[in-house]
Amino acid sequence: MSVHLNAKPGQIAETVLLPGDPLRAKHIAENFLENAEQHNDVRGMLGYTGTYKGHRISVQGSGMGIPSISIYVNELIRDYGCKKLIRVGTCGAYHEDVKVRDVILAQAASTDSQINNIRFGGRNFAPIADFELLHQAYLAAKRAGKAVRVGNIFSSDTFYNDHPDHYKIWAQFGVLGVEMEAAGLYTIAAKYGVQALTILTVSDHLVTGEATSSMERQTSFNDMVQIALEAAIAEKE
Ligand SMILES: O=P(O)(O)O[C@H]1O[C@H](CO)[C@@H](O)[C@H]1O
Ligand SMILES: O=c1cc[nH]c(=O)[nH]1
């Protein structure tokens, strides 16, 4: 047990998929894992553990924003010994050639969060994905014939921004889209020397205004989950 997880010792696998939405965790457990059992219900942040192709995998809701995912990632690593953390989230796209429902592998995460500014005394840390996981996710996508984009994304502290045009400077520097957690996940994984990756499905578009429904964000985007699971179980090359 930890402060925000009531799983018993050993109930959470070393590999954990992390959707922000706890109901997406339930959807993944019910549709992708075998013999899935719920391991967490604290604060309704559902978590499950089952198997995928014979490998033990957990899926744990992480909530929205860097403060929330940081709580779960700290406890998963420190209290449950988790070693491979793959966020499966949604994002807004910054470029016209990145389409709604496209999948993005987040190679790095820029941010406006002040957490790392405080942590590193005003100097900049570059939060990056684990290369092996990124590589395996890319290969898994290729094998499945799914096109993916790989690049920098923006982990924002706000969903509703008072300066909606601010995204354009990130777009100009090649950042593919916006979500709210990856920079926190990558930083904490680096601190503890564990593997982390963020895989995102584009749920809405800042340029075109196109958007998916909240139900689709909860229950679909299966390509991303498949890629995450295949990357999670891939043997190191
Ligand atoms: O769909 P999830 O994984 O929650 O990710 C995105 O969706 C939420 C905002 O709607 C934020 O958490 C953002 O990062
Ligand atoms: O954080 C997010 C997630 C999806 N879409 C956005 O615009 N922002």
Side-chain angles (χ1 to χ4, degrees):
M1 304 257 280
S2 56
V3 177
H4 303 91
L5 297 168
N6 56 2
K8 297 188 189 75
Q11 252 190 325
I12 303 182
E14 281 195 357
T15 298
V16 188
L17 266 51
L18 294 162
D21 180 353
L23 291 178
R24 194 178 315 133
K26 185 169 189 279
H27 172 79
I28 293 169
E30 288 173 350
N31 293 281
F32 290 88
L33 300 185
E34 286 171 16
N35 304 314
E37 287 184 9
Q38 191 177 312
H39 65 239
N40 190 61
D41 61 1
V42 177
R43 291 177 180 247
M45 201 55 75
L46 302 173
Y48 303 82
T49 300
T51 59
Y52 176 74
K53 297 187 177 175
H55 298 260
R56 267 186 101 224
I57 305 265
S58 295
V59 52
Q60 173 63 53
S62 70
M64 291 185 275
I66 288 175
S68 183
I69 195 170
S70 298
I71 287 174
Y72 293 102
V73 169
N74 266 294
E75 293 183 19
L76 288 168
I77 297 170
R78 296 199 315 215
D79 299 304
Y80 292 93
C82 300
K83 298 197 174 338
K84 211 182 265 192
L85 301 161
I86 306 178
R87 167 165 153 69
V88 281
T90 59
C91 71
Y94 280 175
H95 299 265
E96 283 203 54
D97 66 335
V98 180
K99 309 288 183 202
V100 169
R101 298 181 191 79
D102 277 0
V103 174
I104 295 174
L105 307 180
Q107 185 178 16
S110 305
T111 188
D112 60 0
S113 163
Q114 291 307 302
I115 287 180
N116 278 352
N117 251 344
I118 297 163
R119 191 178 261 132
F120 294 101
R123 286 159 290 189
N124 289 323
F125 174 77
I128 56 168
D130 175 77
F131 178 74
E132 184 63 26
L133 269 184
L134 177 66
H135 181 55
Q136 292 297 350
Y138 186 74
L139 293 178
K142 286 272 168 215
R143 275 196 306 275
K146 313 280 183 204
V148 284
R149 306 290 299 247
V150 183
N152 200 353
I153 54 100
F154 179 55
S155 297
S156 177
D157 260 359
T158 50
F159 184 85
Y160 297 109
N161 198 313
D162 291 331
H163 306 281
D165 276 355
H166 273 188
Y167 84 88
K168 289 180 180 165
I169 186 71
W170 297 104
Q172 195 186 338
F173 280 71
V175 172
L176 297 171
V178 55
E179 53 85 84
M180 300 176 68
E181 294 83 15
L185 168 63
Y186 289 175
T187 303
I188 294 168
K191 175 178 175 183
Y192 290 104
V194 304
Q195 293 179 277
L197 175 65
T198 292
I199 307 179
L200 302 167
T201 304
V202 176
S203 58
D204 52 274
H205 212 292
L206 277 86
V207 183
T208 67
E210 194 186 346
T212 54
S213 69
S214 56
M215 185 54 81
E216 191 172 356
R217 291 172 205 217
Q218 182 182 313
T219 61
S220 61
F221 302 152
N222 292 340
D223 284 354
M224 147 176 91
V225 178
Q226 200 71 50
I227 293 167
L229 288 167
E230 289 296 325
I233 66 168
E235 297 293 337
K236 201 169 176 181
E237 296 204 332

